[in-house]
Amino acid sequence: MAASIIDGKLVANLIKERVKEDIQNWMSKGNRAPKLQVVLVGDNPASYSYVKSKTTDCIEVGIDSETLQLPDTISDRELREIIEGFNKDDSIDGILVQLPIPDHIPPQAIIESIDHRKDVDGFHPMNVGRMQVGQPCFRPCTPAGIMELFNHYSIPTKGKHVVVVGASQIVGTPTAMLLSREKDGGKSTVTLCHRYTKDLTKHTINADILVVAVGSPGLITGQMVKEDVVIIDVGINRVADHENERGYKIVGDVDYKSVSEKASWITPVPGGVGPMTRAMLMKNTLLAAKKSLYP
Ligand code: BQF
C-alpha cells in the first residue's frame, strides 16, 4: 500500500491563516502589530533565503519585521551588544538570530544573550528547561511543527515507539523530548539515535514513527523500516540533478521511493516539515507579542 502524504504546506497555511486572524483580533483591541527582529550575520546564501521566506511570512500574517544584516567580521561582543539593545526595545516582541552564524562566534553565548521572553526560536536555556519540565515556554519551531502534524492528521503517538534519528540541539533532541513527555506531549516511547549509534537498522526497524533529522540524503531505505511506519523526514539536502534546470534538487534524509511503499504516512521534501517550521515561527511571534507565556 502506498503511503498517504502528510501535507505540511497545507497545514502550515491553515496555521498561518489562524495566526493572521488572531493578529487582526489582537489589533482590533487596540494593540500594535507584533514585531519580529531578525539578525542575519554574514552572507550564507541559504541563510539569506531562509530569512527572506520568514519575512514574507510575516507580511502575509501581519507581523512587522525588520532584518539587520551584519558583516561576518562582527565580533562576538558587538553582536551581543546589538542583541541587548533589541532586548530593551519595547517595540520588538521577538528576536531571531538566523543560524548558522560564522565559526568565530560561539552560538550558545549569542542564544543566551537573547531575552528568553523574546526567544521565538525557543533555543534559550530558559525555554529549553521549561519545556523539559512542562512549563509554558517557546517551543522550538521544527519540533513544535512536527507535533502539529500528528495533531492535524490525528496520527496517534500515545504508547507508540518513536525512533528519532539525529540528536541535534535544534531538532532531534527537543523532538524526542516533546514526544516522550506526558503533559502536552506525545506520550511515546522514544529512542534517540545519533552518529555513534551502532546498527541503525536495529532501531529503525522497530519504529512505529520514525523522525529523521541528520542531513544525509537517502539515509533511510525501505529495508530499514517496518510496514505501516509513519515517516517524518526533516532532512533538506541539495543533490545534483541534471533533469532540473537549476542543476540540483532538494531531497530528504529518507529514500522516498522505497520507504513510501511501506509507510502508512510520509512527509514529502520539500513541502513537509519545512513549511511547518516557518508557520510555527509566526505562532511564536504572536505569543511573544501577547506576552501570555511570560506575563
Ligand atoms: C520545504 C534550516 C538547516 C539549517 C538552517 C520550507 C524551509 C525549508 C524547507 C525553511 C531551515 C529549514 C530553516 C521547506 C527554515 C526549514 O518546503 O521543504 C521551508 O525555511 N526552514 C532555517 O531558518 O534555517 C536552517 C535548515
Side-chain angles (χ1 to χ4, degrees):
M1 256 286 279
S4 303
I5 306 290
I6 298 177
D7 189 342
K9 182 106 206 183
L10 180 141
V11 182
N13 283 334
L14 292 173
I15 289 170
K16 282 194 287 181
E17 202 50 52
R18 239 183 288 145
V19 169
K20 183 178 176 175
E21 283 167 21
D22 269 18
I23 289 174
Q24 284 166 355
N25 196 270
W26 169 250
M27 292 176 69
S28 75
K29 291 175 186 153
N31 298 293
R32 62 164 172 76
K35 181 174 173 189
L36 177 65
Q37 176 68 52
V38 180
V39 182
L40 176 58
V41 188
D43 52 9
N44 179 324
S47 293
Y48 183 84
S49 97
Y50 287 139
V51 164
K52 213 173 127 192
S53 60
K54 289 170 190 180
T55 53
T56 307
D57 290 338
C58 283
I59 293 168
E60 220 179 291
V61 303
I63 291 172
D64 283 344
S65 82
E66 209 165 300
T67 301
L68 176 64
Q69 262 187 278
L70 296 167
D72 63 5
T73 51
I74 194 162
S75 73
D76 170 29
R77 224 192 70 183
E78 284 172 302
L79 180 54
R80 275 186 284 121
E81 279 169 6
I82 289 167
I83 291 168
E84 275 149 25
F86 294 149
N87 287 342
K88 291 190 195 109
D89 184 340
D90 286 335
S91 74
I92 293 171
D93 299 301
I95 302 170
L96 181 147
V97 178
Q98 179 64 42
L99 300 179
I101 49 178
D103 286 338
H104 68 276
I105 304 174
Q108 198 58 30
I110 300 306
I111 289 167
E112 291 182 28
S113 73
I114 299 171
D115 186 330
H116 67 273
R117 292 166 297 190
K118 299 190 178 188
D119 170 38
V120 288
D121 258 342
F123 299 156
H124 189 285
M126 178 69 90
N127 286 306
V128 176
R130 287 174 66 94
M131 182 170 81
Q132 183 174 336
V133 293
Q135 286 295 114
C137 62
F138 291 108
R139 293 179 307 166
C141 297
T142 303
I146 292 170
M147 298 305 281
E148 289 285 336
L149 288 175
F150 293 132
N151 191 34
H152 178 88
Y153 286 94
S154 303
I155 295 170
T157 59
K158 184 171 152 190
K160 300 294 181 188
H161 186 186
V162 180
V163 176
V164 178
V165 182
S168 72
Q169 202 181 128
I170 290 172
V171 181
T173 301
T175 300
M177 166 62 52
L178 284 176
L179 277 162
S180 65
R181 246 187 31 200
E182 170 132 39
K183 184 171 177 262
D184 304 319
K187 303 174 176 65
S188 308
T189 304
V190 176
T191 300
L192 182 53
C193 300
H194 44 61
R195 66 180 81 251
Y196 305 107
T197 299
K198 290 176 200 156
D199 193 0
L200 194 55
T201 302
K202 190 174 87 186
H203 301 284
T204 59
I205 199 79
N206 292 315
D208 300 314
I209 299 172
L210 183 62
V211 180
V212 194
V214 286
S216 173
L219 173 72
I220 305 296
T221 61
Q223 293 150 352
M224 297 170 72
V225 299
K226 70 177 180 188
E227 204 69 39
D228 292 333
V229 64
V230 175
I231 300 287
I232 306 293
D233 187 354
V234 191
I236 301 172
N237 307 290
R238 247 190 211 208
V239 297
D241 177 19
H242 302 297
E243 253 133 76
N244 196 303
E245 56 190 51
R246 289 173 174 156
Y248 69 88
K249 62 176 176 179
I250 303 291
V251 301
D253 292 342
V254 171
D255 177 46
Y256 191 87
K257 192 171 180 295
S258 64
V259 170
S260 64
E261 283 167 14
K262 283 175 104 177
S264 55
W265 292 93
I266 190 165
T267 58
V269 176
V273 176
M276 294 300 293
T277 301
R278 277 166 54 181
M280 298 315 283
L281 175 66
M282 300 299 104
K283 205 171 163 178
N284 277 352
T285 306
L286 172 57
L287 275 174
K290 287 185 169 173
K291 316 229 174 318
S292 40
L293 295 175
Y294 297 109

